[in-house]
Amino acid sequence: MAERKRWGMVIDLDRCTGCQACVVACQAENNIPLNTPDIVLQARSIQWIRVERYWSGIDENDPAKVKVGYLPVLCVHCTNAPCEPVCPVYAAYHNPEGLNVQVYNRCVGTRYCANNCPYHARYFNYWEREWPEPLNFQLNPDVTIRSKGIMEKCTFCVQRIRRAERRAKFEGRTVRDQEFTTACAQACPTGAIVFGNLADPSSLVSQLAKDARHYRLLEHLGTEPGVYHLKKVDPNYQGAEKSR
């Protein structure tokens, strides 16, 4: 009997320090174009994962009270993905393993999917991108270089998933929990990002997704994201006492 899979991720915001190692690792692993200053100024930069920054406790009389929180955001691989039904050429579809797949050679660049994504996690290639030497030598041969005029987004490092599945099949077994992970999770120095099979109740990611601090971004939209976030813990929070 084939193993049921629902690839997913848990991001613990209490562990995230905003270092952006996940962003750099994703750029290198997935051949994401360089975001030079002129491209950023034109709002044409591409980041499959971004780290948003939020401030709280702002007090002009006491700057020490200011706190900062970080929120890594990527394609959450929705079960009910709003980006899929609007694609006129079926370039975006949901596969049996829970991945929201983008077929590059089918995409015609309408950008309807980006307009319908509430997470702003899809990006359009406005130009043929180039990597100057020696950066061109670090391109990943397992990942397609996207051309001008098509959409791209996080794939959950599908090349790593397929490699692990091929290895497991060759050895006559199933893929073990934490046998491999995504580039962003591998690079995270605090272990804030955990990737795995949500359909396996014994997997680490499945256990973490049941944590009392869990929530999913824009869950009220009914998109059923495959990415869970764990709330940040503030040991000095006094809101509960004040409300009593």
Side-chain angles (χ1 to χ4, degrees):
M1 180 177 177
E3 179 188 16
R4 195 167 78 86
K5 294 170 184 169
R6 197 328 183 183
W7 298 114
M9 182 177 285
V10 171
I11 303 175
D12 190 342
L13 303 185
D14 199 44
R15 289 173 175 262
C16 181
T17 62
C19 70
Q20 308 223 23
C22 54
V23 177
V24 176
C26 178
Q27 296 277 131
E29 169 74 17
N30 293 297
N31 298 337
I32 295 176
L34 302 175
N35 293 318
T36 52
D38 60 316
I39 290 176
V40 173
L41 290 174
Q42 296 177 64
R44 298 288 187 260
S45 59
I46 294 178
Q47 285 182 309
W48 284 9
I49 181 172
R50 63 180 186 273
V51 179
E52 298 183 354
R53 184 182 299 172
Y54 295 93
W55 303 91
S56 62
I58 298 177
D59 186 343
E60 295 180 353
N61 299 319
D62 190 357
K65 290 183 178 179
V66 177
K67 296 178 181 177
V68 61
Y70 302 100
L71 178 67
V73 180
L74 64 162
C75 171
V76 296
H77 293 265
C78 309
T79 299
N80 302 317
C83 59
E84 294 172 359
V86 296
C87 181
V89 293
Y90 304 103
Y93 76 96
H94 213 72
N95 81 357
E97 299 179 1
L99 298 179
N100 177 241
V101 180
Q102 179 72 17
V103 184
Y104 299 130
N105 58 3
R106 193 180 291 173
C107 179
V108 295
T110 63
R111 286 175 276 174
Y112 295 162
C113 56
N115 292 337
N116 235 30
C117 175
Y119 304 97
H120 303 289
R122 288 177 161 270
Y123 300 90
F124 183 69
N125 282 274
Y126 286 88
W127 304 285
E128 293 288 356
R129 301 299 181 97
E130 296 180 351
W131 287 262
E133 291 188 12
L135 294 177
N136 59 328
F137 295 125
Q138 60 92 46
L139 291 173
N140 187 348
D142 292 336
V143 179
T144 302
I145 295 177
R146 286 74 63 189
S147 59
K148 174 184 176 182
I150 64 172
M151 301 298 302
E152 63 178 76
K153 65 167 201 68
C154 166
T155 65
F156 270 168
C157 289
V158 66
Q159 67 279 4
R160 294 190 177 201
I161 296 175
R162 296 295 175 253
R163 189 184 306 138
E165 289 176 337
R166 287 195 299 270
R167 186 189 308 121
K169 182 178 181 181
F170 179 76
E171 296 175 359
R173 57 175 175 81
T174 59
V175 178
R176 304 187 189 98
D177 185 36
Q178 299 303 299
E179 176 180 342
F180 75 100
T181 190
T182 58
C184 57
Q186 183 179 6
C188 182
T190 61
I193 304 175
V194 176
F195 178 79
N197 184 8
L198 288 169
D200 178 3
S202 63
S203 68
L204 177 60
V205 69
S206 180
Q207 295 295 318
L208 289 173
K210 298 173 184 174
D211 189 282
R213 295 184 290 128
H214 83 273
Y215 72 97
R216 293 187 287 184
L217 294 179
L218 301 177
E219 193 168 11
H220 62 282
L221 297 178
T223 54
E224 294 292 327
V227 176
Y228 291 75
H229 287 78
L230 303 185
K231 297 176 183 175
K232 187 176 179 63
V233 176
D234 184 353
N236 299 317
Y237 179 67
Q238 297 178 350
E241 286 72 13
K242 289 181 179 179
S243 63
R244 290 174 182 171

